[in-house]
Amino acid sequence: MTDALSLIPASVLRNLADKLYEKRKNAALEIEGIVKQLAVAREHEKISALINLLTTEFAYSPQANHRKGGLIGFAAATVGLSAEAAQHLKQIVPPVLNSFADQDSRVRYYACEALYNIAKVVRGDFIIFFNKIFDALCKLSADSDPNVQSAAHLLDRLIKDIVTDSDQFSIEEFIPLLRERMNVLNPYVRQFLVGWITVLDSVPEIDMLGFLPDFLDGLFNMLSDSSHEIRQQADSALSEFLQEIKNSPNVDYGRMAEILVQRAGSPDEFTRLTSITWINEFVRLGGEQLVPYYADILGAILPCISDKEEKIRVVARETNEELRAIRADPADGFNIHAILSIARRDLTSEWETTRIEALHWIATLLAQHRTEVISYLNHTYDSLLSALSDSSDEVVLLVLDVHACIAKDAEYFCRLVELVVYNFKIDRALLERRGAMIVRRLCVLLDAERVYREFSLILEGESDLDFSSVMVQALNLILLASSELAGLRILLKHSLVTSLGMDLFVSLYSSWCHSPMATISLCLLAQAYNHASSVIQSLGEEDIDGKFLVQLDKLVRLLETPIFAYLRLQLLEPGKHTWLLKTLYGLLLLLPQQSAAFKILRTRLKTVPSYAVSIEQLKHSSSGNPYSQILQIMEDNKTQDAANVCNAINFPARLQQFEQMQRRHRVHSKSHLMSLNTTSSAVSQEIQILEESHHSSPLPEISRLSSNMPEQSKP
């Protein structure tokens, strides 16, 4: 210390701590001269002692002016050392860096000025302190004093120039420092960081692209900054990196894909658009590297397909189509189960377009990897069935397409129809709202006859009689009115003359018995008019209720459609089709006379040619062979097969089957009504008991008082 004090005159030391800047500056010039002389004389020990004096007596002094003097003294000493300064930097730089945290803003300002002058002198030798200087500048960029900020910016530009010219800069050591600060929210710090990323990326010798995954998330985070300038700077940096990715043969797509997937779900619109744009490029460029990340990428794309911003929707749809067009192999890491899980998750999305694309993915996977998809089916099947209740018709139709693809296997066909029936059973609204569409679509995709046979088989053994009746009525109406089932109707029209038609008629009849009107409709369709008449005559009082009349009304109106044109034309020959006439009159007599259906059917029957019906024929139809019409049809066809078919359909047994089923329905209705009455009477008794308990106690007292009244007091 004594040697150092002897090196610097007392007046210089006094002026170095003066409150006036000019005096401190003049003192610094004196120190610069002293250090120059010592450097020329190679008196480095004395120089070290002088620097130590500046550190202990000035830089770390509790007096602000002393600290200011110390800082300007360090800069002067460095200038005096010139080319010899490098060996003393470890003494000079730390106290300057320490002053960046000083409570006095003027001290911080002079620290920036001092370090700037030091850096100008030593240039590349300064790199060994880069990380510490970067950390200090990062903090100063957000300083509360604008003068300090300005000084820090000047120093920052100089440090950038030094780094870009240096061959000693270590990007590997710098990246952890950068990564730690990328999620800072301060706008000044963000500008500082983006500035450094841009500068370093511009240096050909520095491979910033290789370290992009380390700070990519931070850049995307800045896209949602409230400052337009920061958003613009971050976007510019990202655009530059994306261009480099397109031109680079070696890119770590995997790590960055994980970041992009997360950012695609950002609440910020600009962030979502940028991330989806990057994902789009990655899908094109990534190749095999991205195969293990397809599920994550799909999970990001599907919600964006329904984004409120059109630009995002367009890019997301394009990316989705490109991804789906890639034929990846499980051997390459393509995770079918993960893709299915994403698609299953998005089946419940609030957005229709996303649900539709999720179904397209399931269909695509079924087409390309059927075996693997079927093996994961237990995890997906329930979600697909639930989707039948979707509010969108397009979604429901696609769900049915997927189900039909699965149901190519006999095992899954039966399971599908069973579960469809179950869904209708637990959700009657679904049957009413979508039943016709679902059944018609299944018939188109899976063969109408096969579908109807399976429905009939299931409903025949259904324990819920009320549901069975409703379901059969729905299936019957679809059968009679849908264009998709025209082939099935043609087959049923030949039930009395072909074995295929007969077999189908018998198969449907077993469950159609749940509904009298469905049974009559089936007989009319099969031209089994004699049996239809027998069914009508077997109906009891309990069978003809409001629901029956509603169904009858629908049938009468259907009789006027082109589907039953053949039946109406048969009325031109009433003598030949007397059982048909009798059936129609039977229906007419069941209808209320004031109903529209009664008027429609009566008007139709009035058109029947009266000249063709004789009393003898009517008597024959009512008292003769009840199956004479079948014999007539056989006569017209004149084939042995027709005769065999007629004999194969045991109509008396069918009538007995119908009557038994109707008896079951009557018993069920009565038991249900009795349970309702029992419940109602129990509730009434409870109410009566409660009322008696409230009013019974005062009455005996009143009665007793009345009986004990004197005779004269009685009125």
Side-chain angles (χ1 to χ4, degrees), residues 436 439-441 443-444 448-449 452 475-492 525:
V439 172
R440 289 164 60 187
R441 188 63 180 168
C443 288
V444 170
E449 181 181 352
Y452 259 71
L475 289 172
N476 181 65
L477 191 59
I478 297 166
L479 174 63
L480 295 178
S482 300
S483 58
E484 294 88 346
L485 278 78
L488 204 61
R489 290 195 294 271
I490 292 171
L491 189 59
L492 284 168
L525 198 57

Side-chain angles (χ1 to χ4, degrees), residues 87 152 231 289 295 307 316 364 374 402 413 432 492 562 639 703:
Q87 59 184 300
R231 293 198 303 271
Q289 276 196 52
D307 199 279
T364 300
I374 293 296
V402 172
F413 173 81
E432 295 173 7
L492 284 168
T639 64
S703 176

Side-chain angles (χ1 to χ4, degrees), residues 179 210-216 252-260 282 289-290 293:
R179 184 175 57 237
F211 295 96
L212 181 57
D214 289 289
F215 55 87
L216 180 65
D252 185 358
Y253 288 101
R255 283 181 63 195
M256 288 189 284
E258 294 176 354
I259 296 167
L260 297 175
F282 275 32
Q289 276 196 52
L290 277 183
Y293 299 94

Side-chain angles (χ1 to χ4, degrees), residues 374-657:
I374 293 296
S375 67
Y376 294 126
L377 202 57
N378 289 335
H379 303 286
T380 311
Y381 210 82
D382 290 342
S383 299
L384 285 170
L385 281 172
S386 299
L388 289 174
S389 302
D390 197 278
S391 58
S392 165
D393 287 349
E394 186 176 355
V395 170
V396 174
L397 290 174
L398 280 171
V399 170
L400 292 171
D401 288 349
V402 172
H403 275 302
C405 187
I406 297 170
K408 290 177 181 177
D409 299 343
E411 170 193 354
Y412 290 106
F413 173 81
C414 298
R415 182 182 177 187
L416 170 61
V417 180
E418 286 175 0
L419 289 172
V420 167
V421 171
Y422 176 74
N423 272 21
F424 286 154
K425 182 178 178 179
I426 62 174
D427 186 0
R428 298 291 179 87
L430 175 64
L431 177 59
E432 295 173 7
R433 190 176 69 255
R434 290 276 173 68
M437 184 177 74
I438 292 172
V439 172
R440 289 164 60 187
R441 188 63 180 168
L442 288 176
C443 288
V444 170
L445 297 169
L446 294 172
D447 180 58
E449 181 181 352
R450 187 183 179 200
V451 170
Y452 259 71
R453 283 178 179 272
E454 190 65 28
F455 271 127
S456 181
L457 183 64
I458 294 168
L459 292 171
E460 183 182 357
E462 174 59 49
S463 59
D464 188 338
L465 297 181
D466 290 335
F467 166 71
S468 299
S469 177
V470 171
M471 184 71 193
V472 165
Q473 289 168 15
L475 289 172
N476 181 65
L477 191 59
I478 297 166
L479 174 63
L480 295 178
S482 300
S483 58
E484 294 88 346
L485 278 78
L488 204 61
R489 290 195 294 271
I490 292 171
L491 189 59
L492 284 168
K493 286 179 187 176
H494 297 88
S495 296
L496 303 181
V497 293
T498 66
S499 58
L500 291 176
M502 176 275 297
D503 190 48
L504 178 60
F505 177 85
V506 173
S507 175
L508 297 184
Y509 193 96
S510 298
S511 60
W512 257 237
C513 289
H514 281 291
S515 168
M517 196 47 58
T519 306
I520 295 167
S521 301
L522 183 65
C523 292
L524 292 176
L525 198 57
Q527 303 185 66
Y529 304 132
N530 55 330
H531 188 66
S533 179
S534 300
V535 168
I536 292 170
Q537 292 183 27
S538 72
L539 295 174
E541 180 182 343
E542 301 94 330
D543 302 320
I544 306 171
D545 55 10
K547 294 179 181 178
F548 174 88
L549 293 175
V550 170
Q551 293 296 315
L552 178 54
D553 183 278
K554 292 179 181 178
L555 176 60
V556 169
R557 295 176 190 276
L558 281 170
L559 290 175
E560 296 298 314
T561 64
I563 292 171
F564 282 104
Y566 70 92
L567 182 148
R568 298 195 300 275
L569 291 173
Q570 287 174 350
L571 293 175
L572 291 171
E573 300 177 292
K576 188 177 179 181
H577 299 284
T578 52
W579 284 105
L580 169 60
L581 203 60
K582 188 172 182 179
T583 297
L584 294 179
Y585 270 109
L587 295 177
L588 180 69
L589 295 175
L590 292 176
L591 286 165
Q593 291 189 37
Q594 300 304 317
S595 65
F598 178 88
K599 296 172 183 177
I600 292 170
L601 186 54
R602 184 179 62 178
T603 302
R604 174 59 63 188
L605 289 171
K606 284 181 179 179
T607 63
V608 176
S610 57
Y611 63 83
V613 186
S614 66
I615 296 174
E616 287 76 12
Q617 286 171 326
L618 288 173
K619 285 181 178 179
H620 178 71
S621 67
S622 59
S623 60
N625 182 0
Y627 297 100
S628 59
Q629 187 174 347
I630 297 174
L631 297 175
Q632 182 62 48
I633 293 173
M634 290 167 50
E635 192 78 26
D636 294 341
N637 287 276
K638 294 188 182 299
T639 64
Q640 184 60 39
D641 288 341
N644 292 337
V645 169
C646 172
N647 293 331
I649 300 179
N650 187 343
F651 281 106
R654 299 280 78 77
L655 182 61
Q656 186 178 6
Q657 183 182 17

Side-chain angles (χ1 to χ4, degrees), residues 343-359:
R344 184 179 71 243
R345 180 200 71 187
D346 284 322
L347 284 177
T348 58
S349 168
E350 61 180 298
W351 301 298
E352 178 184 352
T353 310
T354 296
R355 299 196 299 273
I356 289 171
E357 290 305 321
L359 288 165

